[in-house]
Amino acid sequence: MGSKSFGNLLDLASGNLLDIPQTPRSLPRVMTVPGIISDVDGYGISDGDSDVISLPCRERKIIVANFLPLNGKKDSETGKWKFSLDNDSPLLHLKDGFSPETEVIYVGSLKTHVDVSEQDEVSQNLFEEFNCVATFLPQDVHKKFYLGFCKQQLWPLFHYMLPMCPDHGERFDRGLWQAYVSANKIFADKVMGVINLEEDYIWIHDYHLMVLPTFLRRRFHRVKLGFFLHSPFPSSEIYRTLPVREELLRGLLNCDLIGFHTFDYARHFLSCCCRMLGLEYESKRGHIALDYLGRTVFLKILPIGIHMGRLESVLNLPATADKLKEIQEKYRGKKVILGVDDMDIFKGLSLKILAFEHLLQQYPSMLGKIVLIQIVNPARGSGKDVQEAKKETYDTVKRINERYGSPDYEPVVLIDRPVPRFEKSAYYAMAECCVVNAVRDGMNLVPYKYTVCRQGTPSMDKSLGVSDDSPRTSTLVLSEFIGCSPSLSGAIRVNPWDVDSVADSIYSAITMSDFEKQLRHKKHFHYISTHDVAYWARSFSQDLERASRDHYSKRCWGVGWGLGFRLVALSPNFRRLSIEQTVNAYRRSSKRAIFLDYDGTLVPESSIVKDPSAEVISALKSLCSDPNNTIFIISGRGKVSLSEWLAPCENLGIAAEHGYFTRWNKSSDWETSGLSDDLEWKKVVEPIMRLYTETTDGSNIEAKESALVWHHQDADPDFGSCQAKELLDHLETVLVNEPVIVNRGHQIVEVKPQGVSKGLVTGKILSRMLEDGRAPDFVVCIGDDRSDEEMFENISTTLSAQSSSMSTEIFACTVGRKPSKAKYFLDEVSDVVKLLQGLANTTSPKPRYPSHLRVSFESVV
């Protein structure tokens, strides 16, 4: 289906993209109402949720992956395409984890090229017969997308390989990136052609489609979207070298749920989000969650499993039993060590074979008694590195066999051909030990398959004449750098680069007692059989439903251009503050109170110059000149700085250090909050903070009269956050009997006296106005950070407690679209200045502040 909506988006993403023809046909749509098909061809860039017609129907899962779980070939006689399900594809087995009523639709490319003239017919047949929607990429796009950007740039980077020089990987190519974006756009068009927004859950798979969530979220703000990464996610030091790093990160963050095989991969992703986007994560009832612009993005850590029934059905084949008997006879009297790997530079083939050679050198008694059978699967990619790996493997095997072999003994058997499943299963069932020595691998299910085959089946046991209750054994030697390693705790874990250690580990595995082998095997088989692919799919699906549950409880705004698009989700009552509406309310009112934060509200946070602008000073002076106005700046900054910066505004009230110091105007004295002036606790806190400052590069201490603040915004994000947690625990322990509170804020740890906050001082000011018969009928409160939330909350509480029947118009406003207790928002500091100027223009200068208001602030406690 052709799409008209993303042309501008793609242009903005990265310049002039490839000239992609529109998808040649409209794919079959799912009819949500008989005779009516949702029209999503002419959509614009908007929420558009109401455009899709949807009535209650059975639940559907849309599985999106680079390739469909199909095999296809063209009949040489009829010239017609014939397709069949790929029973080896994990995507096909996902359905076992869903309820029988769930309809599953697959979206992806075919593994074979189909001519443009045949695509219409093939599309129709695939959808009707297999519920598959094919994405036909133009050949030049597919080559640059898959063989180019995916295989030459993303895949090596995700496996920790950097293109340090032209001979070691491909440098970043903007043209390949554009093809990647173009391909993801075509996938998005296909998904949009079949989506039923109310009922469908979309599950995207792997690194080929990392910007697809951005396209879908931009079109449908409330789409229920999950993503699972089947490859490793590299550490931030590696990932940050990618020129389009933020586009890919934001793509994943446009999902509701992101899945990883291991916590290491998830930890690296979280570190990248922290370092590049400034996001923080927390654990919510056992689930890792990122707060991203009001949306909660959950992370799922669960390795994929295998399909037990599929593997056991192969073991039950007569051909498998026959092959197993043949292998047993051939290697009678010898211990078989098995390896099954792709011909790939990251699989550690040469390191494994070198370790076996070292084993023969160190333990000569093993000569003639052990055999390494290495099955080599066809390479998934092509290139110089694969050819070099292949040559090194063959040369090493030849050298070992020439040195240690004999006419009736071949130490290393290299099987480099397509091996049928039944034959591979027979080798699994025969091997005493399985070695997976990859230097980096996303998951690797070989150890799972090996363990299940060693367990066998009743039918297989009967064919081999083995008793059902005979003990089962298996031993695994696994690289610590593969995804399945954490799950198989009974395996012998090795560093694949340490050849001596790998050799010793293999020797330990084959000489281990049978009882220990049985225990390890039992532990592994129990885990594998209870965490199969159905369990994995069901668990991910359940978490995706939970992550998407609150979609309709918030209002959504799309912000950002191109692939920088992101969704802001906020309370349905949260809206932009209308300057005109606020000014009109100001005119109608007779008594007014205005409370303003300083940093991030009157002066931009990013500004090096912290003095207020001439426009701010002018507006404040004008507002303060009206005796019916009570204007206060309430800030965490010290009184000296605020007095200096705001000196021209003589009638302006200031509450410094979160309200510890207060004065009503320039001519009045500073008054404390009325709490204890005992600050002896500083003598305890300062040395502790100094210790953490010395050990945390980039941190510093801010000493206020009433508080001490430890800042770590310039420290390493991960280390600074870790140190802040330690400092918080340390201070809470030593200050347990002191009249202080220890707070952790955004990149700070602060210690201040109890009973000091912006919320409390705001309440005291309002209470004083009420006592003096100056109850405000107009209140504006504007702030931008977490400490200002207390002001928003306290204003409503204080005014609601007044006995007067007079209604008060309250405009609590936060700066920036983000979750807040305020009812309104303004986008930035310049909008706050415009509001103040609008209010000031309606104010006429008059004598200020009657003497009866100049009272001791200490009385208001």
Side-chain angles (χ1 to χ4, degrees):
M1 181 190 73
S3 170
K4 304 172 185 177
S5 67
F6 291 93
N8 294 336
L9 174 59
L10 289 171
D11 291 340
L12 288 165
S14 51
N16 297 322
L17 290 173
L18 301 172
D19 185 16
I20 308 298
Q22 297 299 316
T23 313
R25 70 180 301 276
S26 290
L27 293 171
R29 304 279 184 79
V30 176
M31 302 179 75
T32 56
V33 178
I36 301 177
I37 300 179
S38 302
D39 180 12
V40 294
D41 272 331
Y43 49 78
I45 304 300
S46 66
D47 191 315
D49 292 345
S50 60
D51 295 343
V52 181
I53 301 173
S54 55
L55 291 178
C57 61
R58 66 172 177 160
E59 183 182 280
R60 296 197 313 170
K61 301 284 194 297
I62 299 178
I63 309 297
V64 191
N66 184 35
F67 290 119
L68 292 170
L70 297 173
N71 292 318
K73 64 178 181 179
K74 204 168 188 179
D75 192 295
S76 56
E77 296 181 1
T78 63
K80 296 288 186 180
W81 281 98
K82 292 185 177 180
F83 293 93
S84 60
L85 293 174
D86 180 2
N87 291 316
D88 294 335
S89 172
L91 298 179
L92 190 64
H93 303 145
L94 295 181
K95 294 190 292 187
D96 292 354
F98 306 147
S99 67
E101 296 77 25
T102 301
E103 180 185 4
V104 179
I105 295 177
Y106 294 97
V107 179
S109 298
L110 292 168
K111 300 169 188 173
T112 54
H113 175 67
V114 176
D115 190 80
V116 175
S117 62
E118 302 173 296
Q119 289 177 4
D120 279 3
E121 182 181 355
V122 169
S123 294
Q124 189 69 34
N125 292 340
L126 291 180
F127 190 82
E128 292 176 355
E129 187 173 353
F130 301 105
N131 241 20
C132 289
V133 178
T135 56
F136 296 107
L137 303 180
Q139 281 188 289
D140 60 330
V141 175
H142 181 267
K143 182 177 179 181
K144 292 180 178 180
F145 155 66
Y146 182 64
L147 298 177
F149 192 77
C150 289
K151 287 300 180 183
Q152 293 179 17
Q153 297 188 349
L154 276 188
W155 187 78
L157 182 84
F158 280 20
H159 288 75
Y160 290 73
M161 181 178 176
L162 293 175
M164 304 301 292
C165 61
D167 291 338
H168 293 82
E170 298 290 333
R171 299 284 171 82
F172 180 79
D173 186 328
R174 183 66 59 176
L176 300 183
W177 162 245
Q178 291 171 349
Y180 182 85
V181 175
S182 299
N184 276 248
K185 172 193 176 293
I186 294 174
F187 273 83
D189 289 342
K190 294 295 185 179
V191 174
M192 292 175 193
V194 295
I195 188 173
N196 180 333
L197 187 64
E198 297 287 345
E199 305 296 333
D200 294 351
Y201 291 87
I202 300 176
W203 188 358
I204 302 170
H205 290 266
D206 225 0
Y207 61 90
H208 315 89
L209 303 171
M210 290 177 72
V211 298
L212 174 58
T214 297
F215 288 110
L216 297 177
R217 184 70 67 189
R218 187 177 180 89
R219 172 63 184 101
F220 299 115
H221 288 178
R222 293 181 174 87
V223 64
K224 292 168 278 194
L225 201 55
F227 183 97
F228 198 94
L229 184 67
H230 292 268
S231 76
F233 195 95
S235 65
S236 63
E237 289 75 15
I238 299 294
Y239 181 79
R240 282 185 291 165
T241 64
L242 187 64
V244 291
R245 58 192 190 179
E246 286 196 15
E247 289 88 335
L248 296 180
L249 273 187
R250 293 194 187 279
L252 294 186
L253 289 170
N254 277 319
C255 295
D256 299 298
L257 179 66
I258 308 169
F260 300 92
H261 285 306
T262 73
F263 176 69
D264 271 351
Y265 304 160
R267 179 168 54 86
H268 294 157
F269 172 76
L270 291 170
S271 178
C272 290
C273 290
C274 173
R275 292 172 181 273
M276 281 172 260
L277 303 179
L279 303 180
E280 296 181 356
Y281 71 92
E282 61 180 343
S283 179
K284 293 187 176 181
R285 295 187 176 180
H287 299 278
I288 299 175
L290 280 162
D291 185 17
Y292 184 55
L293 301 175
R295 294 175 51 243
T296 300
V297 180
F298 289 92
L299 268 60
K300 175 78 172 176
I301 301 167
L302 184 66
I304 191 174
I306 61 174
H307 193 281
M308 295 288 293
R310 169 69 176 162
L311 191 52
E312 289 171 348
S313 66
V314 175
L315 291 175
N316 290 332
L317 294 173
T320 305
D322 292 344
K323 188 64 181 180
L324 179 55
K325 292 175 184 177
E326 177 188 328
I327 298 171
Q328 288 175 334
E329 182 62 31
K330 183 175 181 180
Y331 297 103
R332 186 177 298 279
K334 297 181 178 64
K335 293 181 180 292
V336 173
I337 302 165
L338 181 66
V340 180
D341 303 278
D342 297 345
M343 180 55 72
D344 184 324
I345 59 174
F346 296 112
K347 298 302 182 184
L349 274 173
S350 59
L351 292 173
K352 182 193 301 183
I353 297 170
L354 287 173
F356 185 75
E357 180 182 29
H358 188 77
L359 172 63
L360 296 177
Q361 291 173 354
Q362 291 294 106
Y363 304 97
S365 61
M366 288 287 134
L367 281 172
K369 299 179 181 178
I370 57 174
V371 175
L372 172 62
I373 299 178
Q374 179 62 55
I375 298 176
V376 181
N377 298 322
R380 299 187 185 183
S382 60
K384 182 180 177 181
D385 53 355
V386 174
Q387 297 306 316
E388 289 177 350
K390 188 171 184 177
K391 183 178 184 303
E392 182 183 8
T393 300
Y394 271 83
D395 290 347
T396 307
V397 170
K398 181 179 179 182
R399 185 185 71 245
I400 294 172
N401 286 338
E402 287 178 351
R403 182 175 180 181
Y404 297 100
S406 63
D408 59 346
Y409 174 56
E410 189 178 19
V412 182
V413 178
L414 194 64
I415 303 176
D416 188 6
R417 58 174 172 80
V419 179
R421 285 182 61 89
F422 77 87
E423 182 179 351
K424 198 176 291 184
S425 299
Y427 278 109
Y428 281 137
M430 167 67 182
E432 286 271 334
C433 173
C434 181
V435 182
V436 181
N437 205 47
V439 297
R440 189 72 61 180
D441 206 351
M443 182 58 192
N444 201 313
L445 294 174
V446 166
Y448 285 28
K449 297 175 182 177
Y450 164 72
T451 303
V452 173
C453 289
R454 289 289 289 178
Q455 179 71 18
T457 65
S459 176
M460 184 179 183
D461 291 343
K462 185 177 180 180
S463 299
L464 297 173
V466 177
S467 172
D468 289 345
D469 58 356
S470 62
R472 312 296 162 141
T473 64
S474 65
T475 53
L476 289 167
V477 177
L478 301 183
S479 163
E480 60 190 58
F481 302 118
I482 62 177
C484 65
S485 179
S487 305
L488 302 173
S489 56
I492 301 175
R493 297 193 181 99
V494 295
N495 174 5
W497 300 99
D498 187 348
V499 173
D500 293 352
S501 177
V502 175
D504 291 339
S505 297
I506 296 174
Y507 180 78
S508 298
I510 60 179
T511 57
M512 187 182 297
S513 70
D514 287 344
F515 179 70
E516 186 173 352
K517 290 179 182 179
Q518 292 170 26
L519 291 178
R520 290 174 184 261
H521 172 82
K522 184 178 181 180
K523 185 175 186 179
H524 290 162
F525 183 75
H526 174 75
Y527 175 84
I528 294 167
S529 59
T530 55
H531 291 73
D532 60 358
V533 67
Y535 173 87
W536 175 73
R538 182 167 55 253
S539 180
F540 189 92
S541 177
Q542 289 170 351
D543 279 6
L544 179 56
E545 291 177 16
R546 178 183 49 79
S548 309
R549 196 171 293 155
D550 297 331
H551 273 192
Y552 289 91
S553 65
K554 296 182 178 180
R555 293 180 65 196
C556 300
W557 289 271
V559 297
W561 297 98
L563 296 175
F565 173 84
R566 54 243 187 239
L567 193 69
V568 180
L570 301 169
S571 166
N573 297 321
F574 193 64
R575 58 185 183 275
R576 184 190 300 276
L577 181 64
S578 167
I579 294 178
E580 181 181 0
Q581 178 187 354
T582 310
V583 170
N584 289 336
Y586 180 89
R587 288 196 183 105
R588 294 192 301 266
S589 61
S590 59
K591 298 291 185 293
R592 313 174 188 101
I594 299 177
F595 304 103
L596 302 169
D597 177 38
Y598 189 78
D599 292 283
T601 301
L602 298 180
V603 178
E605 284 279 9
S606 58
S607 175
I608 297 176
V609 179
K610 293 301 181 182
D611 300 60
S613 65
E615 292 83 358
V616 170
I617 293 295
S618 174
L620 289 176
K621 286 179 67 176
S622 179
L623 289 168
C624 291
S625 67
D626 190 331
N628 293 316
N629 291 348
T630 299
I631 316 293
F632 262 86
I633 301 297
I634 302 179
S635 172
R637 287 197 174 266
K639 62 183 183 181
V640 176
S641 299
L642 292 173
S643 297
E644 179 184 342
W645 292 333
L646 300 167
C649 306
E650 296 186 359
N651 295 318
L652 179 67
I654 297 176
E657 299 191 18
H658 297 290
Y660 187 83
F661 296 105
T662 310
R663 75 178 188 193
W664 286 79
N665 53 57
K666 188 175 181 180
S667 61
S668 63
D669 295 330
W670 285 101
E671 300 167 2
T672 63
S673 62
L675 300 170
S676 172
D677 293 330
D678 181 10
L679 300 177
E680 287 297 311
W681 53 266
K682 281 190 172 184
K683 296 179 181 178
V684 177
V685 173
E686 190 169 5
I688 296 174
M689 285 190 172
R690 194 181 305 119
L691 172 64
Y692 281 81
T693 302
E694 291 171 358
T695 58
T696 311
D697 187 39
S699 64
N700 63 85
I701 301 173
E702 178 188 0
K704 301 179 181 180
E705 289 188 50
S706 67
L708 287 172
V709 186
W710 187 75
H711 295 265
H712 63 92
Q713 64 266 26
D714 295 326
D716 177 271
D718 289 336
F719 185 56
S721 179
C722 178
Q723 290 289 79
K725 291 177 183 177
E726 289 293 325
L727 176 58
L728 182 69
D729 291 341
H730 193 162
L731 291 173
E732 286 179 338
T733 301
V734 300
L735 298 173
V736 64
N737 295 319
E738 297 290 342
V740 297
I741 56 173
V742 185
N743 285 330
R744 186 179 177 198
H746 181 59
Q747 298 182 332
I748 66 164
V749 175
E750 181 178 31
V751 183
K752 62 182 181 180
Q754 292 177 349
V756 175
S757 72
K758 290 185 177 182
L760 288 173
V761 74
T762 305
K764 292 171 184 178
I765 295 169
L766 289 173
S767 296
R768 182 60 196 174
M769 295 178 69
L770 293 173
E771 288 179 10
D772 290 338
R774 294 174 52 81
D777 54 355
F778 173 90
V779 177
V780 166
C781 182
I782 306 177
D784 75 303
D785 63 22
R786 194 178 302 172
S787 63
D788 299 314
E789 296 296 313
E790 297 174 352
M791 287 199 296
F792 305 146
E793 188 174 24
N794 209 291
I795 287 173
S796 299
T797 303
T798 303
L799 293 178
S800 63
Q802 64 176 308
S803 58
S804 172
S805 59
M806 179 186 66
S807 63
T808 303
E809 293 192 80
I810 301 174
F811 298 91
C813 175
T814 188
V815 181
R817 299 188 192 187
K818 56 182 181 291
S820 173
K821 294 176 182 176
K823 190 175 180 179
Y824 302 96
F825 71 88
L826 289 171
D827 286 318
E828 52 193 17
V829 171
S830 61
D831 295 324
V832 178
V833 176
K834 290 176 183 177
L835 172 65
L836 295 178
Q837 289 174 328
L839 298 177
N841 289 337
T842 68
T843 302
S844 56
K846 296 177 183 178
R848 176 67 187 164
Y849 278 119
S851 59
H852 72 273
L853 271 184
R854 300 181 184 175
V855 296
S856 171
F857 194 71
E858 290 185 357
S859 63
V860 189
V861 179

